[in-house]
Amino acid sequence: MAMPSMLHDHRPCAVVRGTPVITERRVRANGFRSRSLSVDGGGPPMLMLHGFSDTADTWRPVMRELAARGQQATAVDMPGYGRADRTRPGAMLPQIEGFVAELLERSGPDTILVGNSLGALASLRTAAAVTSELGGVVAISPAGFGHSRLIRYAEHAGLATNLLRVPFVPNRLMEAMVGKAFARMACGNHALADAEAVKAYAEQFRQRADVRRILGAGPAIIREIKAAADTLTLDCPVLAIWGSRDRLTLVGGSEELMDTLPDSELVVLPGFGHCPQLEVPDGVAELLLNFSSRTAAAPAR
């Protein structure tokens, strides 16, 4: 599907030497302290959620594109990741969804939830649960649909297992290994991966304990995801975006999502992977702006 044309009805935001300003703040929701990244602008608010083991920094490339077109957006570290507080004992999805729901209440009407992977599933489930009016949901490679063999392996063996088998790995080498593996799994073409976002991801893994804590939670959250993905009922517009070379949630999973949410739209990005925001941020930004424009013009459901 061709990318939508650029929209011109958004006011410009602050820039420094041609680069849009991304503001970092501390936030608190559902009892969790966290960090937000935001850009100023017009249009309906966009609240952006990252995937499993990722951080809000994954959205920096798209946020710069949105800001250059005058669109406001905010990305947050979800509980357990980045600079957010760790999750409490027990199921993780309800904690994340409670966090998102509280932020959504503050964001105002017509907010568009934008999520990738785990963040996409959290966006869909939160949208199904809240009573506030939403502009819509953009789900990029949502977890719970079309899981690959790698995800099924991770459910049973744990993502951290192979890394922790190595007796001694210097911290810098650990970060480099994690960053390289992340770029290859997240992208259809790892050479296109945004270096700043990959670096921010890898910096979470400074010690073996970080690998055990973050990646070691993989099996539990995968089981929660599998139990939660097919129980969705939404009353707001939904756009699903999938990379044709997604190695984690295979593009065939889009059929499952369309069956679950038959009124959804689907865009498949040829050649891109699980995190297209890292490979083609301008294209993802165009899709978001186009979706925002169409949902704003559509009659209320």
Side-chain angles (χ1 to χ4, degrees):
M1 177 175 178
M3 293 293 179
S5 59
M6 185 180 296
L7 306 180
H8 300 283
D9 57 344
H10 298 261
R11 69 175 187 241
C13 75
V15 297
V16 175
R17 296 182 182 178
T19 302
V21 174
I22 298 179
T23 303
E24 185 171 323
R25 297 185 178 91
R26 297 299 294 174
V27 296
R28 187 183 183 98
N30 196 30
F32 294 101
R33 295 167 299 179
S34 185
R35 172 189 64 143
S36 72
L37 306 175
S38 61
V39 290
D40 294 331
M46 291 187 181
L47 179 58
M48 315 182 88
L49 309 175
H50 59 79
F52 169 75
S53 75
D54 207 347
T55 73
D57 297 287
T58 194
W59 296 112
R60 285 183 183 270
V62 172
M63 294 177 75
R64 285 192 285 264
E65 296 288 342
L66 291 173
R69 293 156 172 80
Q71 169 65 48
Q72 63 176 314
T74 297
V76 292
D77 288 334
M78 297 195 302
Y81 308 111
R83 299 180 197 172
D85 287 342
R86 300 179 185 182
T87 53
R88 308 172 190 113
M92 289 172 277
L93 266 180
Q95 298 180 59
I96 292 171
E97 291 160 16
F99 173 80
V100 177
E102 188 169 326
L103 292 177
L104 196 56
E105 288 178 7
R106 303 175 196 166
S107 184
D110 302 321
T111 297
I112 295 174
L113 280 171
V114 182
N116 174 225
S117 194
L118 174 60
L121 180 62
S123 296
L124 291 167
R125 285 178 54 81
T126 303
V130 298
T131 57
S132 56
E133 287 291 330
L134 286 178
V137 177
V138 179
I140 303 175
S141 299
F145 302 92
H147 282 175
S148 68
R149 290 182 179 178
L150 179 60
I151 296 296
R152 292 196 295 271
Y153 168 79
E155 179 184 357
H156 300 288
L159 294 170
T161 301
N162 288 335
L163 279 174
L164 294 176
R165 280 176 179 165
V166 181
F168 175 77
V169 178
N171 291 346
R172 287 187 178 275
L173 180 57
M174 176 71 77
E175 286 187 31
M177 290 169 59
V178 169
K180 186 175 181 179
F182 171 67
R184 290 184 178 276
M185 287 191 295
C187 300
N189 180 355
H190 67 274
L192 298 178
D194 183 86
E196 180 186 14
V198 172
K199 183 174 184 292
Y201 177 91
E203 284 177 347
Q204 296 183 96
F205 301 92
R206 296 180 181 275
Q207 303 177 41
R208 293 169 65 88
D210 298 325
V211 175
R212 185 177 294 106
R213 174 177 61 85
I214 299 172
L215 298 185
I221 194 68
I222 291 171
R223 288 191 288 272
E224 287 187 49
I225 288 168
K226 289 175 67 176
D230 60 352
T231 58
L232 297 169
T233 302
L234 274 73
D235 193 30
C236 67
V238 176
L239 170 65
I241 301 174
W242 237 286
S244 68
R245 295 187 64 189
D246 192 329
R247 298 181 177 91
L248 299 177
T249 55
L250 304 178
V251 70
S254 61
E255 297 181 9
E256 299 176 36
L257 180 63
M258 295 300 106
D259 289 341
T260 303
L261 301 172
D263 293 332
S264 303
E265 303 173 60
L266 172 66
V267 173
V268 177
L269 301 179
F272 297 107
H274 188 66
C275 298
Q277 70 271 15
L278 301 180
E279 297 181 88
V280 58
D282 55 341
V284 172
E286 291 289 354
L287 288 170
L288 296 179
L289 290 171
N290 184 270
F291 178 74
S292 173
S293 178
R294 285 185 287 108
T295 55
R301 295 194 176 190

